[in-house]
Every structure is written in structure tokens, then in C-alpha cells.
Amino acid sequence: MRIDLHTHSVVSDGTDTPADLVGKAAAAGLDVVALTDHDTTAGWDEAVAALPSGLRLVRGMEMSCEGRGDDGDPVAVHLLAYLFDPSESGFVAERARLRDERVSRIRTMALRMAEDGLPIDPDAVLDRAGPSVGRPHLAQALVEAGVVPSIGDAFTELLSTRSRYYVPKADTPLADAVQMVRAAGGVAVVAHPLARSRGRVMALGQIEELAALGLAGIEVAHPDHGADDVRVLTDLASSLDLVVTGSSDYHGDNKRIGLGEFTTAPAAFEALVDRASGTEVVAG
Ligand code: AMP
Ligand code: FE
Ligand code: FE
Ligand code: ZN
């Protein structure tokens, strides 16, 4: 059994349509794939309709949250939400708010760039993006305009949290997010908690508080985690009785990683499914 529980499509900041993504997941030899676009479920129906036989689909999402760093300052944290009821009204409203935050924040970042003379058209960036726009869409525009050679360079030079163009967004407080996912019958797994290449990371002490609120697991195997991170997080998960997952965080051409390069153990997957009551795993 090969299980990859974290992927992105064009509905957020990946480059494959949901239909292409499930096709590629089957071709990569996966048995289970989760579609986890940022702050939206807009890709779910297309992925279900295109699901190849033999592949199972976990309908999920990666939610933009705000946690705290070791210094107590706010830090962006991603929460994977699986198998929740997409019609639960409080959660629907919060997802819409997060997507609105994304639009206004990317517009402000693009305007700052344009004012500085960079060849970026804020409307064109927003028009090309799907329902959940993000910094990778700005990165693509910067590459296409010849400002930087690659998406990675766009992040290092112009889009990082240290950049003069960076604008934060008002994400969901982490504890509220875990409670919303649970209230919608879903299971919550904290995504790549030690991915330092993206900027500051959360203080791990928060994970114990989140476990008390119903957090189910920690994403441990991930392209942005080193061997030390994996050890620290494995120990933490075992001390708190949390499920350990692994996933590629596939973004198509926006990142170098392939589907199934990091995976989740079958027993961990079953433990997550057992705790969910919002939607079923779909079998193709
Ligand atoms: P945003 O959601 O708009 O804050 O943008 C964050 C997204 O940018 C993440 O979900 C990643 O997909 C992507 N990202 C972050 N850092 C990098 C990087 N160094 N290179 C490529 N993509 C990145
Ligand atoms: Fe992303
Ligand atoms: Fe993430
Ligand atoms: Zn992701």
C-alpha cells in the first residue's frame, strides 16, 4: 500500500488539474491519495469524477493557520484537514474568509511590486489563479516576466517573509482551526511543523495543547524535514499518542518533488479514517 496524504492542484497553488492529479497518482503506483488544496474544497468533485479504478481518494484541505514561534510571535502554520463535511456552515464561512484574505494580500504584494517598477499586473495574477491564490502565482508571474529564473529564486529574493514586498494574512488561530475541523467531523494533522526553509516555525509546545483539543496527527516525513526533524517529531508524536504521517506535498511543476516520494504507513492511514465522520474515502 502506497499512501500520499498531501497534494495540491490548480485549485490552489499546484499546476495539475484535479483530474490530471488523480491520473498521475495512479500512474505513480499510489493506492491512496489525498487532495489537500489550500483553504478550498473546490477540487473535490473533479477529482472524484476522474478517479481511476484501484485508487482511493481522501478529500482534504490544507488550512492556513496562525500559531506562535518560540519567541511568542505569530507564525504561519498549516493544518491538514481530512474527511470533513464540506457543508458545515461555520467551516464554510471560515474557508471563504481565508480565500478573501489571500486575494487582498496577493493584490497588495503585487501592487507594491508594480509600484516599484517590476513588470507585474495584479489583475492578471489574480485572473490566472483559481479560487485560492497564493505566492506561487506571483512567483510564476515573476518567472514569466524574466525577473527571476525560477520559482525558488522568486521566493528567496522577493516573496519570503523577510522581503519588503511580503504582506502577512489574517489566518485562523490554530486552536480554533482544530476545533472547526473536529466540529465538521474531520481529522486534523499538523503539516510540516519544522519546515524551516519557509521561515520561522511553530513552537512544538503548542502541539500538546492541540492534542487536547482533538488534533489527530503530525506530518513527519516531508520533503522540507531533515533527519533530525523526523526524530524529534516521531518522539513527540509517540509521547502524545498522535498518528505519524508522511507525504510529498506535491505541487506539480511549482516544486521539484514527485507524487509518492514520501508516504504514510497503512496503519496510520486507518487510524485517521477511524476518527473521521464527515465524509467517506472514495474508491475509484
Ligand atoms: P502562501 O500560501 O501564499 O503564503 O504561499 C505559501 C506557499 O508557497 C506554500 O504552500 C508553498 O506551496 C509555496 N512555497 C513556500 N516557500 C517556497 C519555496 N521556497 N519555493 C517554492 N514554493 C514555496
Ligand atoms: Fe502550497
Ligand atoms: Fe503547507
Ligand atoms: Zn501543502
Side-chain angles (χ1 to χ4, degrees):
M1 279 265 280
R2 296 188 67 229
I3 302 163
D4 187 341
L5 292 182
H6 185 168
T7 70
H8 296 266
S9 76
V10 288
V11 155
S12 64
D13 57 5
T15 60
D16 292 314
T17 63
D20 285 344
L21 191 145
V22 291
K24 288 181 183 183
L30 291 177
D31 300 286
V32 178
V33 69
L35 179 65
T36 54
D37 279 302
H38 297 285
D39 305 321
T40 182
T41 60
W44 285 14
D45 291 350
E46 182 184 325
V48 170
L51 199 63
S53 70
L55 181 64
R56 281 186 284 164
L57 176 71
V58 174
R59 288 170 285 185
M61 183 179 86
E62 186 175 23
M63 190 173 178
S64 302
C65 301
E66 183 183 298
R68 294 183 309 278
D70 279 322
D71 52 8
D73 285 349
V75 62
V77 177
H78 287 171
L79 187 73
L80 290 159
Y82 298 115
L83 301 171
F84 55 89
D85 174 356
S87 68
E88 201 284 317
S89 59
F91 202 15
V92 169
E94 183 61 3
R95 292 198 293 275
R97 189 193 69 78
L98 287 170
R99 292 193 301 272
D100 287 348
E101 276 289 310
R102 287 179 164 277
V103 170
S104 57
R105 155 319 167 112
I106 290 294
R107 189 191 300 285
T108 306
M109 288 182 72
L111 281 170
R112 283 189 189 175
M113 290 178 176
E115 280 164 14
D116 240 16
L118 290 171
I120 290 295
D121 174 354
D123 289 330
V125 172
L126 292 169
D127 284 350
R128 264 196 39 189
S132 182
V133 66
R135 281 179 288 162
H137 296 102
L138 259 182
Q140 282 171 345
L142 290 161
V143 172
E144 280 168 25
V147 177
V148 286
S150 73
I151 302 252
D153 290 305
F155 269 90
T156 326
E157 292 174 29
L158 297 164
L159 297 172
S160 80
T161 52
R162 286 174 294 277
S163 164
R164 55 203 288 240
Y165 301 114
Y166 181 79
V167 176
K169 51 189 168 50
D171 292 333
T172 311
L174 203 38
D176 296 353
V178 169
Q179 287 168 314
M180 270 179 222
V181 175
R182 295 300 292 148
V187 284
V189 172
V190 63
H192 49 70
L194 293 178
R196 281 181 209 82
S197 59
R198 298 154 182 251
R200 296 161 53 245
V201 296
M202 70 186 297
L204 292 181
Q206 283 156 106
I207 292 184
E208 183 165 6
E209 301 160 25
L210 298 174
L213 297 173
L215 180 78
I218 304 178
E219 185 179 58
V220 174
H222 182 278
D224 294 347
H225 284 162
D228 287 349
D229 301 327
V230 168
R231 265 192 297 279
V232 166
L233 293 172
T234 304
D235 290 350
L236 180 62
S238 117
S239 74
L240 296 173
D241 206 15
L242 293 172
V243 173
V244 164
T245 71
S247 26
S248 65
D249 202 354
Y250 174 78
H251 280 71
D253 297 334
N254 278 347
K255 288 194 185 169
R256 295 175 188 281
I257 198 82
L259 283 161
E261 284 192 41
F262 292 85
T263 55
T264 295
F269 168 61
E270 296 303 338
L272 294 179
V273 173
D274 284 349
R275 291 179 65 163
S277 59
T279 52
E280 303 285 322
V281 178
V282 188

